[in-house]
Amino acid sequence: MEIRIGIQHSPREIVIESGEKADELLERLSTAVAEGSPVTLVDDKGRTVLIPGAKVAYAELSTEEPRRVGFLG
C-alpha cells in the first residue's frame, strides 16, 4: 500500500510503501493527529519514518498496487 502524508508548512509530502493494514494505519495516524503525538511508520524496505502528529496536514492511503515498469526475467 502506498501512503502519502502532507506536513504543514512543507512543500514536499512523505511517500512510503508499507505492508501494514490500512485500518490499523488509519487508527494510528488518527490518534497521533488527535493527541499531537508522533507516529512511527516502517516501509517495505525497513526504513523508519517518524512523523509529528501535530503537523500532519493530510494522509492518503492507496490500496491499489502501482503499475511497475520493467522487464520480468
PDB file of all heavy atoms in Angstrom, residues 14-48:
ATOM      1  N   ILE A  14       5.507  13.134   2.279  1.00  0.00           N
ATOM      2  CA  ILE A  14       6.211  11.902   2.611  1.00  0.00           C
ATOM      3  C   ILE A  14       5.481  10.769   1.900  1.00  0.00           C
ATOM      4  O   ILE A  14       4.260  10.643   2.029  1.00  0.00           O
ATOM      5  CB  ILE A  14       6.217  11.666   4.132  1.00  0.00           C
ATOM      6  CG1 ILE A  14       6.973  12.789   4.828  1.00  0.00           C
ATOM      7  CG2 ILE A  14       6.822  10.314   4.462  1.00  0.00           C
ATOM      8  CD1 ILE A  14       6.821  12.801   6.327  1.00  0.00           C
ATOM      9  N   VAL A  15       6.208   9.964   1.133  1.00  0.00           N
ATOM     10  CA  VAL A  15       5.613   8.844   0.398  1.00  0.00           C
ATOM     11  C   VAL A  15       6.375   7.581   0.771  1.00  0.00           C
ATOM     12  O   VAL A  15       7.590   7.516   0.607  1.00  0.00           O
ATOM     13  CB  VAL A  15       5.692   9.062  -1.129  1.00  0.00           C
ATOM     14  CG1 VAL A  15       5.061   7.890  -1.863  1.00  0.00           C
ATOM     15  CG2 VAL A  15       5.036  10.366  -1.528  1.00  0.00           C
ATOM     16  N   ILE A  16       5.648   6.594   1.290  1.00  0.00           N
ATOM     17  CA  ILE A  16       6.273   5.309   1.610  1.00  0.00           C
ATOM     18  C   ILE A  16       5.365   4.178   1.162  1.00  0.00           C
ATOM     19  O   ILE A  16       4.162   4.345   1.011  1.00  0.00           O
ATOM     20  CB  ILE A  16       6.614   5.162   3.113  1.00  0.00           C
ATOM     21  CG1 ILE A  16       5.356   5.140   3.973  1.00  0.00           C
ATOM     22  CG2 ILE A  16       7.557   6.232   3.581  1.00  0.00           C
ATOM     23  CD1 ILE A  16       5.637   4.769   5.409  1.00  0.00           C
ATOM     24  N   GLU A  17       5.958   3.026   0.940  1.00  0.00           N
ATOM     25  CA  GLU A  17       5.239   1.791   0.633  1.00  0.00           C
ATOM     26  C   GLU A  17       5.265   0.933   1.890  1.00  0.00           C
ATOM     27  O   GLU A  17       6.331   0.721   2.472  1.00  0.00           O
ATOM     28  CB  GLU A  17       5.922   1.032  -0.502  1.00  0.00           C
ATOM     29  CG  GLU A  17       5.858   1.696  -1.847  1.00  0.00           C
ATOM     30  CD  GLU A  17       4.529   1.507  -2.534  1.00  0.00           C
ATOM     31  OE1 GLU A  17       3.827   0.520  -2.232  1.00  0.00           O
ATOM     32  OE2 GLU A  17       4.195   2.348  -3.376  1.00  0.00           O
ATOM     33  N   SER A  18       4.104   0.455   2.312  1.00  0.00           N
ATOM     34  CA  SER A  18       4.041  -0.340   3.528  1.00  0.00           C
ATOM     35  C   SER A  18       3.090  -1.510   3.347  1.00  0.00           C
ATOM     36  O   SER A  18       2.106  -1.410   2.619  1.00  0.00           O
ATOM     37  CB  SER A  18       3.569   0.526   4.697  1.00  0.00           C
ATOM     38  OG  SER A  18       3.422  -0.247   5.861  1.00  0.00           O
ATOM     39  N   GLY A  19       3.374  -2.589   4.027  1.00  0.00           N
ATOM     40  CA  GLY A  19       2.512  -3.760   4.001  1.00  0.00           C
ATOM     41  C   GLY A  19       1.526  -3.773   5.153  1.00  0.00           C
ATOM     42  O   GLY A  19       0.752  -4.710   5.311  1.00  0.00           O
ATOM     43  N   GLU A  20       1.520  -2.720   5.956  1.00  0.00           N
ATOM     44  CA  GLU A  20       0.629  -2.631   7.113  1.00  0.00           C
ATOM     45  C   GLU A  20      -0.828  -2.511   6.650  1.00  0.00           C
ATOM     46  O   GLU A  20      -1.120  -1.956   5.596  1.00  0.00           O
ATOM     47  CB  GLU A  20       1.006  -1.401   7.948  1.00  0.00           C
ATOM     48  CG  GLU A  20       0.341  -1.352   9.291  1.00  0.00           C
ATOM     49  CD  GLU A  20       0.902  -0.258  10.179  1.00  0.00           C
ATOM     50  OE1 GLU A  20       1.952   0.313   9.843  1.00  0.00           O
ATOM     51  OE2 GLU A  20       0.271   0.011  11.201  1.00  0.00           O
ATOM     52  N   LYS A  21      -1.745  -3.027   7.443  1.00  0.00           N
ATOM     53  CA  LYS A  21      -3.165  -2.958   7.108  1.00  0.00           C
ATOM     54  C   LYS A  21      -3.654  -1.517   7.181  1.00  0.00           C
ATOM     55  O   LYS A  21      -3.299  -0.771   8.100  1.00  0.00           O
ATOM     56  CB  LYS A  21      -3.982  -3.832   8.047  1.00  0.00           C
ATOM     57  CG  LYS A  21      -3.724  -5.302   7.871  1.00  0.00           C
ATOM     58  CD  LYS A  21      -4.602  -6.118   8.766  1.00  0.00           C
ATOM     59  CE  LYS A  21      -4.337  -7.604   8.560  1.00  0.00           C
ATOM     60  NZ  LYS A  21      -5.199  -8.413   9.406  1.00  0.00           N
ATOM     61  N   ALA A  22      -4.489  -1.118   6.230  1.00  0.00           N
ATOM     62  CA  ALA A  22      -4.982   0.256   6.129  1.00  0.00           C
ATOM     63  C   ALA A  22      -5.750   0.686   7.374  1.00  0.00           C
ATOM     64  O   ALA A  22      -5.576   1.811   7.859  1.00  0.00           O
ATOM     65  CB  ALA A  22      -5.857   0.411   4.892  1.00  0.00           C
ATOM     66  N   ASP A  23      -6.601  -0.186   7.913  1.00  0.00           N
ATOM     67  CA  ASP A  23      -7.397   0.168   9.089  1.00  0.00           C
ATOM     68  C   ASP A  23      -6.520   0.483  10.293  1.00  0.00           C
ATOM     69  O   ASP A  23      -6.751   1.462  11.007  1.00  0.00           O
ATOM     70  CB  ASP A  23      -8.353  -0.968   9.452  1.00  0.00           C
ATOM     71  CG  ASP A  23      -9.405  -1.213   8.390  1.00  0.00           C
ATOM     72  OD1 ASP A  23      -9.630  -0.302   7.560  1.00  0.00           O
ATOM     73  OD2 ASP A  23      -9.995  -2.306   8.383  1.00  0.00           O
ATOM     74  N   GLU A  24      -5.496  -0.356  10.518  1.00  0.00           N
ATOM     75  CA  GLU A  24      -4.589  -0.146  11.644  1.00  0.00           C
ATOM     76  C   GLU A  24      -3.792   1.143  11.480  1.00  0.00           C
ATOM     77  O   GLU A  24      -3.609   1.897  12.429  1.00  0.00           O
ATOM     78  CB  GLU A  24      -3.645  -1.335  11.791  1.00  0.00           C
ATOM     79  CG  GLU A  24      -4.336  -2.618  12.166  1.00  0.00           C
ATOM     80  CD  GLU A  24      -3.424  -3.818  12.122  1.00  0.00           C
ATOM     81  OE1 GLU A  24      -2.206  -3.654  11.858  1.00  0.00           O
ATOM     82  OE2 GLU A  24      -3.923  -4.942  12.348  1.00  0.00           O
ATOM     83  N   LEU A  25      -3.339   1.385  10.262  1.00  0.00           N
ATOM     84  CA  LEU A  25      -2.560   2.586   9.985  1.00  0.00           C
ATOM     85  C   LEU A  25      -3.396   3.847  10.180  1.00  0.00           C
ATOM     86  O   LEU A  25      -2.944   4.817  10.788  1.00  0.00           O
ATOM     87  CB  LEU A  25      -1.985   2.536   8.575  1.00  0.00           C
ATOM     88  CG  LEU A  25      -1.121   3.711   8.174  1.00  0.00           C
ATOM     89  CD1 LEU A  25       0.082   3.830   9.096  1.00  0.00           C
ATOM     90  CD2 LEU A  25      -0.681   3.575   6.754  1.00  0.00           C
ATOM     91  N   LEU A  26      -4.630   3.842   9.673  1.00  0.00           N
ATOM     92  CA  LEU A  26      -5.514   4.996   9.851  1.00  0.00           C
ATOM     93  C   LEU A  26      -5.801   5.267  11.324  1.00  0.00           C
ATOM     94  O   LEU A  26      -5.846   6.419  11.749  1.00  0.00           O
ATOM     95  CB  LEU A  26      -6.828   4.778   9.099  1.00  0.00           C
ATOM     96  CG  LEU A  26      -6.790   5.073   7.623  1.00  0.00           C
ATOM     97  CD1 LEU A  26      -8.112   4.695   6.978  1.00  0.00           C
ATOM     98  CD2 LEU A  26      -6.488   6.531   7.371  1.00  0.00           C
ATOM     99  N   GLU A  27      -5.975   4.219  12.090  1.00  0.00           N
ATOM    100  CA  GLU A  27      -6.223   4.380  13.525  1.00  0.00           C
ATOM    101  C   GLU A  27      -5.010   5.015  14.220  1.00  0.00           C
ATOM    102  O   GLU A  27      -5.156   5.927  15.023  1.00  0.00           O
ATOM    103  CB  GLU A  27      -6.553   3.029  14.153  1.00  0.00           C
ATOM    104  CG  GLU A  27      -6.931   3.131  15.621  1.00  0.00           C
ATOM    105  CD  GLU A  27      -7.338   1.796  16.209  1.00  0.00           C
ATOM    106  OE1 GLU A  27      -7.793   0.913  15.455  1.00  0.00           O
ATOM    107  OE2 GLU A  27      -7.201   1.652  17.433  1.00  0.00           O
ATOM    108  N   ARG A  28      -3.813   4.533  13.885  1.00  0.00           N
ATOM    109  CA  ARG A  28      -2.595   5.090  14.484  1.00  0.00           C
ATOM    110  C   ARG A  28      -2.399   6.556  14.097  1.00  0.00           C
ATOM    111  O   ARG A  28      -2.052   7.390  14.924  1.00  0.00           O
ATOM    112  CB  ARG A  28      -1.369   4.269  14.068  1.00  0.00           C
ATOM    113  CG  ARG A  28      -1.345   2.923  14.747  1.00  0.00           C
ATOM    114  CD  ARG A  28      -0.157   2.070  14.363  1.00  0.00           C
ATOM    115  NE  ARG A  28       1.082   2.800  14.271  1.00  0.00           N
ATOM    116  CZ  ARG A  28       2.014   2.562  13.363  1.00  0.00           C
ATOM    117  NH1 ARG A  28       1.855   1.624  12.475  1.00  0.00           N
ATOM    118  NH2 ARG A  28       3.125   3.254  13.346  1.00  0.00           N
ATOM    119  N   LEU A  29      -2.628   6.879  12.809  1.00  0.00           N
ATOM    120  CA  LEU A  29      -2.483   8.257  12.354  1.00  0.00           C
ATOM    121  C   LEU A  29      -3.528   9.167  12.992  1.00  0.00           C
ATOM    122  O   LEU A  29      -3.218  10.288  13.413  1.00  0.00           O
ATOM    123  CB  LEU A  29      -2.580   8.337  10.832  1.00  0.00           C
ATOM    124  CG  LEU A  29      -1.342   7.935  10.052  1.00  0.00           C
ATOM    125  CD1 LEU A  29      -1.663   7.861   8.564  1.00  0.00           C
ATOM    126  CD2 LEU A  29      -0.210   8.901  10.296  1.00  0.00           C
ATOM    127  N   SER A  30      -4.773   8.702  13.077  1.00  0.00           N
ATOM    128  CA  SER A  30      -5.841   9.492  13.695  1.00  0.00           C
ATOM    129  C   SER A  30      -5.536   9.796  15.151  1.00  0.00           C
ATOM    130  O   SER A  30      -5.733  10.920  15.613  1.00  0.00           O
ATOM    131  CB  SER A  30      -7.177   8.757  13.598  1.00  0.00           C
ATOM    132  OG  SER A  30      -7.562   8.601  12.268  1.00  0.00           O
ATOM    133  N   THR A  31      -5.052   8.818  15.869  1.00  0.00           N
ATOM    134  CA  THR A  31      -4.690   9.012  17.273  1.00  0.00           C
ATOM    135  C   THR A  31      -3.550  10.015  17.406  1.00  0.00           C
ATOM    136  O   THR A  31      -3.587  10.902  18.257  1.00  0.00           O
ATOM    137  CB  THR A  31      -4.286   7.668  17.916  1.00  0.00           C
ATOM    138  OG1 THR A  31      -5.380   6.763  17.809  1.00  0.00           O
ATOM    139  CG2 THR A  31      -3.906   7.850  19.371  1.00  0.00           C
ATOM    140  N   ALA A  32      -2.543   9.890  16.550  1.00  0.00           N
ATOM    141  CA  ALA A  32      -1.397  10.803  16.598  1.00  0.00           C
ATOM    142  C   ALA A  32      -1.821  12.238  16.304  1.00  0.00           C
ATOM    143  O   ALA A  32      -1.376  13.181  16.969  1.00  0.00           O
ATOM    144  CB  ALA A  32      -0.323  10.367  15.613  1.00  0.00           C
ATOM    145  N   VAL A  33      -2.706  12.419  15.330  1.00  0.00           N
ATOM    146  CA  VAL A  33      -3.174  13.765  14.989  1.00  0.00           C
ATOM    147  C   VAL A  33      -4.011  14.337  16.143  1.00  0.00           C
ATOM    148  O   VAL A  33      -3.840  15.489  16.536  1.00  0.00           O
ATOM    149  CB  VAL A  33      -3.981  13.749  13.673  1.00  0.00           C
ATOM    150  CG1 VAL A  33      -4.692  15.068  13.441  1.00  0.00           C
ATOM    151  CG2 VAL A  33      -3.057  13.436  12.504  1.00  0.00           C
ATOM    152  N   ALA A  34      -4.908  13.528  16.705  1.00  0.00           N
ATOM    153  CA  ALA A  34      -5.775  13.981  17.791  1.00  0.00           C
ATOM    154  C   ALA A  34      -4.981  14.354  19.045  1.00  0.00           C
ATOM    155  O   ALA A  34      -5.287  15.347  19.716  1.00  0.00           O
ATOM    156  CB  ALA A  34      -6.806  12.911  18.131  1.00  0.00           C
ATOM    157  N   GLU A  35      -3.946  13.573  19.356  1.00  0.00           N
ATOM    158  CA  GLU A  35      -3.145  13.802  20.557  1.00  0.00           C
ATOM    159  C   GLU A  35      -1.961  14.723  20.306  1.00  0.00           C
ATOM    160  O   GLU A  35      -1.322  15.181  21.255  1.00  0.00           O
ATOM    161  CB  GLU A  35      -2.647  12.472  21.109  1.00  0.00           C
ATOM    162  CG  GLU A  35      -3.753  11.559  21.581  1.00  0.00           C
ATOM    163  CD  GLU A  35      -3.252  10.205  22.033  1.00  0.00           C
ATOM    164  OE1 GLU A  35      -2.027   9.929  21.900  1.00  0.00           O
ATOM    165  OE2 GLU A  35      -4.076   9.415  22.514  1.00  0.00           O
ATOM    166  N   GLY A  36      -1.622  14.954  19.038  1.00  0.00           N
ATOM    167  CA  GLY A  36      -0.452  15.766  18.722  1.00  0.00           C
ATOM    168  C   GLY A  36       0.851  15.039  18.997  1.00  0.00           C
ATOM    169  O   GLY A  36       1.897  15.654  19.168  1.00  0.00           O
ATOM    170  N   SER A  37       0.782  13.725  19.028  1.00  0.00           N
ATOM    171  CA  SER A  37       1.972  12.921  19.321  1.00  0.00           C
ATOM    172  C   SER A  37       2.579  12.384  18.026  1.00  0.00           C
ATOM    173  O   SER A  37       1.903  12.286  17.009  1.00  0.00           O
ATOM    174  CB  SER A  37       1.594  11.754  20.237  1.00  0.00           C
ATOM    175  OG  SER A  37       0.642  10.927  19.600  1.00  0.00           O
ATOM    176  N   PRO A  38       3.855  12.024  18.041  1.00  0.00           N
ATOM    177  CA  PRO A  38       4.483  11.478  16.836  1.00  0.00           C
ATOM    178  C   PRO A  38       4.009  10.053  16.556  1.00  0.00           C
ATOM    179  O   PRO A  38       3.569   9.343  17.451  1.00  0.00           O
ATOM    180  CB  PRO A  38       5.974  11.498  17.157  1.00  0.00           C
ATOM    181  CG  PRO A  38       6.065  11.563  18.627  1.00  0.00           C
ATOM    182  CD  PRO A  38       4.807  12.195  19.128  1.00  0.00           C
ATOM    183  N   VAL A  39       4.087   9.669  15.287  1.00  0.00           N
ATOM    184  CA  VAL A  39       3.766   8.303  14.876  1.00  0.00           C
ATOM    185  C   VAL A  39       4.945   7.779  14.050  1.00  0.00           C
ATOM    186  O   VAL A  39       5.554   8.519  13.288  1.00  0.00           O
ATOM    187  CB  VAL A  39       2.439   8.246  14.082  1.00  0.00           C
ATOM    188  CG1 VAL A  39       2.530   9.023  12.794  1.00  0.00           C
ATOM    189  CG2 VAL A  39       2.025   6.818  13.811  1.00  0.00           C
ATOM    190  N   THR A  40       5.281   6.525  14.254  1.00  0.00           N
ATOM    191  CA  THR A  40       6.394   5.902  13.550  1.00  0.00           C
ATOM    192  C   THR A  40       5.849   4.932  12.507  1.00  0.00           C
ATOM    193  O   THR A  40       5.008   4.100  12.816  1.00  0.00           O
ATOM    194  CB  THR A  40       7.296   5.137  14.542  1.00  0.00           C
ATOM    195  OG1 THR A  40       7.749   6.038  15.542  1.00  0.00           O
ATOM    196  CG2 THR A  40       8.494   4.538  13.838  1.00  0.00           C
ATOM    197  N   LEU A  41       6.331   5.076  11.274  1.00  0.00           N
ATOM    198  CA  LEU A  41       5.954   4.175  10.194  1.00  0.00           C
ATOM    199  C   LEU A  41       7.197   3.476   9.673  1.00  0.00           C
ATOM    200  O   LEU A  41       8.270   4.065   9.632  1.00  0.00           O
ATOM    201  CB  LEU A  41       5.305   4.960   9.045  1.00  0.00           C
ATOM    202  CG  LEU A  41       4.083   5.788   9.390  1.00  0.00           C
ATOM    203  CD1 LEU A  41       3.631   6.579   8.169  1.00  0.00           C
ATOM    204  CD2 LEU A  41       2.963   4.910   9.890  1.00  0.00           C
ATOM    205  N   VAL A  42       7.051   2.217   9.278  1.00  0.00           N
ATOM    206  CA  VAL A  42       8.154   1.440   8.709  1.00  0.00           C
ATOM    207  C   VAL A  42       7.737   1.009   7.313  1.00  0.00           C
ATOM    208  O   VAL A  42       6.655   0.457   7.133  1.00  0.00           O
ATOM    209  CB  VAL A  42       8.485   0.213   9.580  1.00  0.00           C
ATOM    210  CG1 VAL A  42       9.615  -0.590   8.967  1.00  0.00           C
ATOM    211  CG2 VAL A  42       8.834   0.639  11.000  1.00  0.00           C
ATOM    212  N   ASP A  43       8.599   1.272   6.324  1.00  0.00           N
ATOM    213  CA  ASP A  43       8.264   0.917   4.948  1.00  0.00           C
ATOM    214  C   ASP A  43       8.681  -0.511   4.626  1.00  0.00           C
ATOM    215  O   ASP A  43       9.226  -1.221   5.472  1.00  0.00           O
ATOM    216  CB  ASP A  43       8.833   1.919   3.950  1.00  0.00           C
ATOM    217  CG  ASP A  43      10.332   1.838   3.784  1.00  0.00           C
ATOM    218  OD1 ASP A  43      10.988   1.000   4.435  1.00  0.00           O
ATOM    219  OD2 ASP A  43      10.871   2.619   2.990  1.00  0.00           O
ATOM    220  N   ASP A  44       8.408  -0.932   3.397  1.00  0.00           N
ATOM    221  CA  ASP A  44       8.704  -2.300   2.959  1.00  0.00           C
ATOM    222  C   ASP A  44      10.185  -2.629   2.972  1.00  0.00           C
ATOM    223  O   ASP A  44      10.567  -3.789   3.026  1.00  0.00           O
ATOM    224  CB  ASP A  44       8.163  -2.536   1.544  1.00  0.00           C
ATOM    225  CG  ASP A  44       6.644  -2.638   1.516  1.00  0.00           C
ATOM    226  OD1 ASP A  44       6.040  -2.823   2.589  1.00  0.00           O
ATOM    227  OD2 ASP A  44       6.074  -2.524   0.416  1.00  0.00           O
ATOM    228  N   LYS A  45      11.036  -1.617   2.895  1.00  0.00           N
ATOM    229  CA  LYS A  45      12.485  -1.839   2.871  1.00  0.00           C
ATOM    230  C   LYS A  45      13.115  -1.739   4.256  1.00  0.00           C
ATOM    231  O   LYS A  45      14.319  -1.796   4.399  1.00  0.00           O
ATOM    232  CB  LYS A  45      13.143  -0.828   1.934  1.00  0.00           C
ATOM    233  CG  LYS A  45      12.696  -1.011   0.497  1.00  0.00           C
ATOM    234  CD  LYS A  45      13.349  -0.011  -0.407  1.00  0.00           C
ATOM    235  CE  LYS A  45      12.848  -0.198  -1.829  1.00  0.00           C
ATOM    236  NZ  LYS A  45      13.414   0.789  -2.744  1.00  0.00           N
ATOM    237  N   GLY A  46      12.297  -1.543   5.292  1.00  0.00           N
ATOM    238  CA  GLY A  46      12.792  -1.499   6.656  1.00  0.00           C
ATOM    239  C   GLY A  46      13.172  -0.117   7.144  1.00  0.00           C
ATOM    240  O   GLY A  46      13.656   0.029   8.261  1.00  0.00           O
ATOM    241  N   ARG A  47      12.958   0.918   6.333  1.00  0.00           N
ATOM    242  CA  ARG A  47      13.263   2.287   6.758  1.00  0.00           C
ATOM    243  C   ARG A  47      12.179   2.777   7.708  1.00  0.00           C
ATOM    244  O   ARG A  47      11.000   2.495   7.523  1.00  0.00           O
ATOM    245  CB  ARG A  47      13.369   3.218   5.560  1.00  0.00           C
ATOM    246  CG  ARG A  47      14.565   2.903   4.677  1.00  0.00           C
ATOM    247  CD  ARG A  47      14.614   3.826   3.512  1.00  0.00           C
ATOM    248  NE  ARG A  47      13.524   3.444   2.599  1.00  0.00           N
ATOM    249  CZ  ARG A  47      13.476   3.772   1.338  1.00  0.00           C
ATOM    250  NH1 ARG A  47      14.414   4.535   0.807  1.00  0.00           N
ATOM    251  NH2 ARG A  47      12.483   3.370   0.576  1.00  0.00           N
ATOM    252  N   THR A  48      12.582   3.528   8.711  1.00  0.00           N
ATOM    253  CA  THR A  48      11.658   4.056   9.707  1.00  0.00           C
ATOM    254  C   THR A  48      11.504   5.556   9.528  1.00  0.00           C
ATOM    255  O   THR A  48      12.490   6.269   9.355  1.00  0.00           O
ATOM    256  CB  THR A  48      12.177   3.764  11.134  1.00  0.00           C
ATOM    257  OG1 THR A  48      12.348   2.350  11.269  1.00  0.00           O
ATOM    258  CG2 THR A  48      11.219   4.259  12.183  1.00  0.00           C
TER     259      THR A  48
END
